[in-house]
């Protein structure tokens, strides 16, 4: 029912005043401008808010109002009062409509007895009732455009991935849920929570499937190819999720992942086999710079050395001398090992001082006033730490 009555207009004004007093202090102005039309539409069409298991479906309400970042417990509590008032108003209006229709039925002319024995077909009523059951409540979702028009010009270029993604979403007036529906589709394995984690900065793309979604977003917003990928942290990391088969070990997967294209999974099987054979023959087993670097890195176990820990130092008040000894003998084997000395660099003074302070704190009999620790490092524990840093 879309007929505006005096009662519905009056109740809309009351709900608008309710939003200004109870909802406005909890949300942004843009969110408030989305909540008011949504509540008014429920009153105009006399549709109760979406329910699930007898309770309000907050996920549907949040999606309809674009509140994925602002839904808090206090907002739910205040917004629930308004939704429950709308439900009571709808029930009251429906009951009044039924009361008005009863006298009209009583004053209608009696039906001829001959017509009672032949009931009318109920196809129309059945179709209408089934249509009413399947109809979704609330405001319909925003239509998806292939290339949405930006609300303002591209004037800023954030340096981080999370800021760049949220900036261009705001520039096109889209929420994360609408962007997910536009780029992921209904039959994709990509989860909408993953896109939400990108927007709030808790996660960044790492897999080849995520890079494919990034390319779709770049195409949708008409951004340069690789725009978002260039802003990801840890550029030296390799992508994960390549379809290499079950006969390849985890160690070989890590070596191969550095040299496979992002669209490896979408290529034909013969093309993928060709790429794997070339990487194994030329890069992994050949005489390339990468192979020489990998061979040298395997022989070199450690890269940073802490002399104060390796050769001894005044690290613990419990040590009787300025050197750390294990079983009565000083450990100088690391000095005589040429493989460990090749390419090893001493830690910077600041890092060496921080490590020395840590060892002093963990090996002291009593901690400094105001600090607490979980356990004390003895000679055996400290020896294992020293072997890692030597």
């Amino acid at each position: 029912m879309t007929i505006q009555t005096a009662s519905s207009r009056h109740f809309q004004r009351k709900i608008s005043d309710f939003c200004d007093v109870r909802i406005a202090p909890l949300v942004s102005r843009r969110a408030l401008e989305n909540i008011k039309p949504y509540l008014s539409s429920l009153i105009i069409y006399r549709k109760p808010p979406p329910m699930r298991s007898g309770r309000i479906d907050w996920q549907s309400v949040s999606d309809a109002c674009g509140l994925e970042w602002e839904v808090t417990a206090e907002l739910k509590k205040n917004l629930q009062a308004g939704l429950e008032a709308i439900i009571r108003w709808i029930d009251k209006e429906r009951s009044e409509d039924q009361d008005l229709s009863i006298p009209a039925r009583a004053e209608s002319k009696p039906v001829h007895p001959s017509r009672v024995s032949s009931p009318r077909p109920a196809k129309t009523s059945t179709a209408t009732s089934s249509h009413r059951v399947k109809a979704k409540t609330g405001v319909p979702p925003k239509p998806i455009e292939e290339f949405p028009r930006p609300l303002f010009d591209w004037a800023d270029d954030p340096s981080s991935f999370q800021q760049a993604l949220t900036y261009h979403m705001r520039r096109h007036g889209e929420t994360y849920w609408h962007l997910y529906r536009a780029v992921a589709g209904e039959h994709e394995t990509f989860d909408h929570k993953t896109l939400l984690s990108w927007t709030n900065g808790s996660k960044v793309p790492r897999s080849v499937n995520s890079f494919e979604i990034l390319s779709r977003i770049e195409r949708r917003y008409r951004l340069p190819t690789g725009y978002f990928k260039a802003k990801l942290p840890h550029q030296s990391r390799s992508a994960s999720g390549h379809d290499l088969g079950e006969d390849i070990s985890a160690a070989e997967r890590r070596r191969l992942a550095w040299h496979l294209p992002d669209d490896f999974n979408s290529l034909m099987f013969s093309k993928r086999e060709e790429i794997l054979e070339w990487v194994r023959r030329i890069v992994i087993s050949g005489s390339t710079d990468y192979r020489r670097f990998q061979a040298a890195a395997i022989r070199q176990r450690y890269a940073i050395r802490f002399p104060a820990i390796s050769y001894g130092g005044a690290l613990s008040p419990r040590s009787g001398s300025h050197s750390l000894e294990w079983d009565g003998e000083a450990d100088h084997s690391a000095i005589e090992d040429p493989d460990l000395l090749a390419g090893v660099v001493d830690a910077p003074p600041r890092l060496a001082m921080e490590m020395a302070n840590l060892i002093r704190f963990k090996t002291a009999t009593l901690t400094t006033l105001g600090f607490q620790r979980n356990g004390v490092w003895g000679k055996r524990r400290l020896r294992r730490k020293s072997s890692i840093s030597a």
Side-chain angles (χ1 to χ4, degrees), residues 5-283:
T5 62
S7 176
S8 64
R9 287 192 292 267
H10 175 69
F11 192 68
Q12 288 180 52
R13 288 193 294 269
K14 293 180 64 177
I15 291 297
S16 179
D17 296 338
F18 167 83
C19 292
D20 294 335
V21 176
R22 300 280 296 275
I23 306 300
L26 305 178
V27 297
S28 62
R29 182 176 181 180
R30 180 179 180 182
L32 182 64
E33 293 175 354
N34 293 338
I35 293 176
K36 283 186 176 181
Y38 174 74
L39 299 181
S40 299
S41 66
L42 299 180
I43 299 172
I44 295 173
Y45 295 97
R46 295 188 181 183
K47 292 183 179 180
M51 309 293 288
R52 178 179 294 180
S53 301
R55 299 181 180 181
I56 296 176
D57 187 1
W58 291 109
Q59 182 63 42
S60 300
V61 175
S62 175
D63 295 339
C65 299
L67 302 177
E68 58 273 11
W69 294 308
E70 301 187 45
V71 176
T72 60
E74 188 176 2
L75 176 60
K76 287 183 179 180
K77 180 179 178 181
N78 290 283
L79 193 58
Q80 184 175 1
L83 294 174
E84 290 176 353
I86 294 176
I87 294 175
R88 292 192 298 268
W89 181 84
I90 293 175
D91 294 340
K92 179 182 178 181
E93 291 294 317
R94 289 177 178 176
S95 62
E96 291 179 357
D97 293 342
Q98 291 178 359
D99 294 338
L100 293 176
S101 61
I102 291 176
R105 294 177 182 177
E107 296 176 1
S108 60
K109 295 182 179 180
V111 182
H112 196 273
S114 60
R115 298 180 181 178
V116 177
S117 59
S118 59
R120 296 179 181 179
K123 293 183 179 180
T124 305
S125 61
T126 304
T128 305
S129 60
S130 62
H131 177 70
R132 290 178 180 176
V133 171
K134 295 181 180 179
K136 294 184 179 180
T137 60
V139 180
K142 181 180 177 181
I144 297 176
E145 301 179 8
E146 184 177 3
F147 300 105
R149 181 176 299 178
L151 303 179
F152 53 89
D153 295 336
W154 184 2
D156 191 11
D157 189 13
S159 58
S160 67
F161 165 74
Q162 183 260 343
Q163 294 175 354
L165 180 59
T166 55
Y167 171 77
H168 287 284
M169 289 172 56
R170 185 171 65 255
R171 195 167 69 92
H172 290 82
E174 294 186 340
T175 62
Y176 94 93
W177 179 255
H178 183 76
L179 179 60
Y180 166 77
R181 293 175 54 242
V183 300
E186 299 179 356
H187 305 287
E188 296 281 353
T189 57
F190 184 75
D191 190 5
H192 69 92
K193 294 182 179 179
T194 303
L195 183 57
L196 178 61
S197 65
W198 295 353
T199 57
N200 58 32
S202 59
K203 293 182 180 180
V204 293
R206 284 289 307 278
S207 64
V208 293
N209 292 333
S210 298
F211 291 151
E212 181 182 356
I213 296 297
L214 285 185
S215 63
R216 296 184 184 183
I217 298 177
E218 292 169 353
R219 178 179 177 272
R220 175 175 175 79
Y221 291 160
R222 299 182 180 180
L223 300 174
T225 303
Y227 172 79
F228 288 118
K229 188 177 180 181
K231 297 181 179 296
L232 293 175
H234 311 293
Q235 291 289 331
S236 59
R237 289 180 178 177
S238 60
S240 60
H242 293 100
D243 186 10
L244 303 177
E246 300 179 357
D247 56 339
I248 299 180
S249 62
E252 188 177 3
R253 285 175 180 269
R254 289 192 294 269
R255 291 194 297 268
L256 293 173
W258 292 89
H259 315 285
L260 301 179
D262 294 340
D263 59 345
F264 180 82
N265 294 347
S266 61
L267 300 177
M268 298 178 59
F269 179 78
S270 58
K271 187 64 175 179
R272 285 184 289 173
E273 289 293 322
E274 180 182 353
I275 294 176
L276 288 177
E277 189 275 333
W278 185 89
V279 172
R280 286 170 172 169
R281 176 172 51 88
I282 302 299
V283 180

Side-chain angles (χ1 to χ4, degrees), residues 359-375:
I359 298 299
R360 182 183 296 108
F361 174 76
K362 296 297 292 186
T363 56
T365 304
L366 299 176
T367 60
T368 307
L369 185 63
F371 291 88
Q372 294 181 354
R373 65 186 177 191
N374 185 13

Side-chain angles (χ1 to χ4, degrees), residues 345-358:
V345 296
D346 290 342
R350 182 177 178 180
L351 179 59
M353 184 177 297
E354 291 180 359
M355 182 61 70
N357 292 334
L358 174 62

Side-chain angles (χ1 to χ4, degrees), residues 289-307:
D289 294 338
Y290 171 81
R291 176 57 183 166
R292 287 192 291 269
F293 164 77
Q294 185 186 36
I298 292 175
R299 290 194 301 268
Q300 179 57 51
R301 297 175 59 192
Y302 309 107
I304 301 178
R305 180 179 56 180
F306 299 89

